Amino acid sequence: MSIELRHLRCFLAIAEESSVTRAAHRLGLTQPAVSRTLAALERQVGTRLVDRSTHHLELTAEGRVFRDKAAAAVAAFDDAMDPTRLRRRPLRLGHAWSALGPYTTPLLRRWEREHPETPLELLRIDDRTAGLARGEVDAAVLRGSVEAPGLVTELLFMEDRVAAVTSDGPLAARARLTLADLASGPVLVNEVSGVTTPALWPAGGRPVSTVTVTNTDDWLTAIAAGRGAGVSVASTAELHPHPGVTYRPLPDAPPVPVLLAHRTTTAHPALPELLALARELTREDS
């Protein structure tokens, strides 16, 4: 037996739904058919991909690695079979938040002027690699250290951190803040795509508690509601203003590296031009 596209789609549905039953409903198949397809796939790859021994279905460690590879393969196939993309294939640039900060608009305008034949799509995807590891984009703007197999990263610039506090709270009255100022109360942590963790603080002065969120919108809402403070980068203050959130400089926090990443395989033909333009724009101020 050889692996076919239907095996990959079936596995991805199971992974996304965390349920064989829901995956079967989504695919319009019977539950036994989905189970047989998964079993055949596992036999072919020679390892268990899904742990069904618990009440909550989970992917095994091998299954999580295979999920990213399967998603990339399916995305590449769908992209190749889309007739509109064959005529004018867009270059998809992912980001989880704040994109390229102050360089975002200049990048988009220069690209449209200099490469009108290739649309540049800026896509926000709440994922540590902004959809790059799953094959949803061709390149991605990432912040902080990112470890993922098959990715190439290039440092574009370093970005200062800022504190984000409730606008009607006492910290908002200060001109600048320190990490110690924030540690006395809860700190909001974006556990999906953020770069702030308790390890940012020294071992003896870490926050009294943390509140986890999964995206920038929820992070802003929680800060505005007074559930805690947050730490982000300077471009967040510019690109994500909120009436209930005040941003203040945080000079004792180390800056964050801003990276442009792409996969080692299936590169978009216009990727070299994007890399060159990003380098040019970000290094003009260096």
Side-chain angles (χ1 to χ4, degrees):
M1 186 203 92
S2 60
I3 295 178
E4 301 175 4
L5 196 61
R6 63 184 179 88
H7 294 96
L8 301 183
R9 293 194 190 278
C10 181
F11 170 72
L12 291 174
I14 294 171
E16 292 171 8
E17 298 291 344
S18 296
S19 166
V20 172
T21 301
R22 289 195 296 271
H25 178 73
R26 171 174 160 180
L27 296 170
L29 301 172
T30 65
Q31 182 175 336
V34 170
S35 296
R36 287 194 300 271
T37 301
L38 173 62
L41 176 62
E42 290 179 323
R43 284 196 303 272
Q44 184 66 18
V45 299
T47 189
R48 194 174 187 182
L49 302 175
V50 176
D51 183 359
R52 298 180 291 279
S53 62
T54 62
H55 295 294
H56 180 68
L57 182 149
E58 294 179 345
L59 297 183
T60 63
E62 295 81 4
R64 290 191 293 272
V65 173
F66 187 78
R67 174 189 57 195
D68 294 340
K69 295 181 180 295
V74 171
F77 176 84
D78 291 343
D79 185 68
M81 296 305 294
D82 186 341
T84 61
R85 291 180 181 270
L86 289 175
R87 290 192 296 269
R88 233 176 147 224
R89 181 185 173 193
L91 177 58
R92 303 162 299 175
L93 178 62
H95 70 106
W97 42 280
S98 297
L100 271 175
Y103 306 104
T104 304
T105 298
L107 177 75
L108 295 175
R109 289 180 174 175
R110 281 276 302 274
W111 185 269
E112 184 174 2
R113 185 169 66 249
E114 297 176 9
H115 303 279
E117 74 287 352
T118 304
L120 179 59
E121 296 181 352
L122 187 64
L123 304 174
R124 175 180 159 184
I125 300 176
D126 291 310
D127 174 75
R128 190 68 191 93
T129 66
L132 187 58
R134 299 199 302 262
E136 297 178 15
V137 296
D138 303 296
V141 179
L142 308 178
R143 284 175 168 82
S145 60
V146 178
E147 295 182 4
L151 296 189
V152 177
T153 61
E154 177 177 341
L155 175 65
L156 293 179
F157 61 98
M158 302 294 290
E159 191 168 17
D160 291 336
R161 297 191 198 237
V162 297
V165 298
T166 308
S167 292
D168 58 359
L171 294 180
R174 304 187 190 180
R176 61 183 57 208
L177 295 168
T178 66
L179 289 170
D181 293 330
L182 305 182
S184 60
V187 170
L188 275 295
V189 174
N190 180 345
E191 61 181 1
V192 173
S193 58
V195 293
T196 301
T197 70
L200 179 63
W201 282 259
R206 290 180 176 167
V208 296
S209 64
T210 59
V211 178
T212 58
V213 295
T214 58
N215 58 65
T216 301
D217 295 331
D218 291 346
W219 181 81
L220 289 168
T221 300
I223 295 172
R227 296 184 60 198
V231 177
S232 190
V233 293
S235 58
T236 304
E238 300 175 10
L239 300 179
H240 297 280
H242 191 289
V245 177
T246 296
Y247 296 97
R248 290 289 181 257
L250 196 61
D252 67 334
V256 175
V258 180
L259 314 171
L260 188 59
H262 60 92
R263 298 191 301 277
T264 55
T265 58
T266 64
H268 190 288
L271 183 60
E273 286 78 12
L274 176 65
L275 295 172
L277 181 55
R279 292 187 197 108
E280 178 184 345
L281 290 172
T282 56
R283 291 175 184 172
E284 285 177 351
D285 296 335
S286 61

